[in-house]
Amino acid sequence: MYKTALFPGSFDPFTIGHESIVNRALPLFDKIIIAIGYNTTKDGYFPLDKRLEWIKTVFGEEKKVEVTSFKGLTVDFCREKGAGYILRGLRTSADFEYERAVAQMNRVMLPDIESVFMLTLPDHTHITSTIVREIIRLGGDADAFLPENLRNKIKVI
Ligand code: ADP
């Protein structure tokens, strides 16, 4: 059976933590759709088109990766894309508690969906988009937390 996973997130911005989750999940799936979820009430910091462009830059050569965005419920977008799996990364017990509730509610809404969790690498546990964004916003150097081909690309807006 062809296995498609959706990796939803804000990716504001995409970090080496996200990149690592996708790379480690690639052998498990036939396709991974990295999908930026957005809604009109909560704008991200970086513009959606930039975030999409940056993620495409990271996985440009990888045919198994699609990069897109969606509005609304993750389960509805899974249905639309024919994705049977939702991929999420886990850093801390706080992540786990939150993700458990979301996954169990998603399963009520879409019983066929399986949420798959991947533990972050120990070196990436402390990396959050919120802090990376703050470093960039305040003029610091966040390159150590960004995928190699995004270093020097992501600037204050
Ligand atoms: P969201 O707003 O949906 O939490 P994020 O962009 O913050 O979106 O994260 C998307 C996914 O990537 C989530 O599953 C999150 O737990 C995971 N993630 C975020 N940072 C890291 C990291 N440093 N290592 C591994 N997974 C991460």
Side-chain angles (χ1 to χ4, degrees), residues 7-12 15 17-18 21 88-91 95 99 120 124 127 129:
F7 183 40
S10 317
F11 307 119
D12 191 22
T15 68
H18 299 129
I21 296 290
R88 297 284 287 176
L90 291 180
R91 288 162 295 187
D95 271 357
E99 296 294 342
T120 184
H124 294 160
I127 301 174
S129 290

Side-chain angles (χ1 to χ4, degrees), residues 6-12 33-48 51-52 55 67-75 77 88:
L6 190 83
F7 183 40
S10 317
F11 307 119
D12 191 22
I33 303 171
I34 305 173
I36 303 180
Y38 69 98
N39 59 59
T40 42
T41 52
K42 187 183 151 216
D43 278 345
Y45 175 68
F46 293 108
L48 181 63
R51 282 184 269 159
L52 286 167
I55 304 172
V67 183
T68 187
S69 62
F70 70 102
K71 237 185 207 161
L73 286 174
T74 306
V75 286
F77 195 58
R88 297 284 287 176

Side-chain angles (χ1 to χ4, degrees), residues 64-135:
K64 284 168 75 176
V65 172
E66 179 184 327
V67 183
T68 187
S69 62
F70 70 102
K71 237 185 207 161
L73 286 174
T74 306
V75 286
D76 288 339
F77 195 58
C78 285
R79 256 191 217 107
E80 187 184 322
K81 299 297 266 184
Y85 304 86
I86 295 175
L87 175 66
R88 297 284 287 176
L90 291 180
R91 288 162 295 187
T92 60
S93 52
D95 271 357
F96 170 75
E97 285 302 332
Y98 175 72
E99 296 294 342
R100 183 178 53 78
V102 173
Q104 290 176 338
M105 291 179 79
N106 280 339
R107 206 176 159 84
V108 172
M109 293 185 284
L110 185 58
D112 289 341
I113 203 81
E114 280 298 348
S115 292
V116 175
F117 301 104
M118 204 160 245
L119 283 184
T120 184
L121 295 181
D123 285 358
H124 294 160
T125 306
H126 56 290
I127 301 174
T128 77
S129 290
T130 308
I131 301 176
V132 170
R133 201 159 64 227
E134 210 51 13
I135 294 171

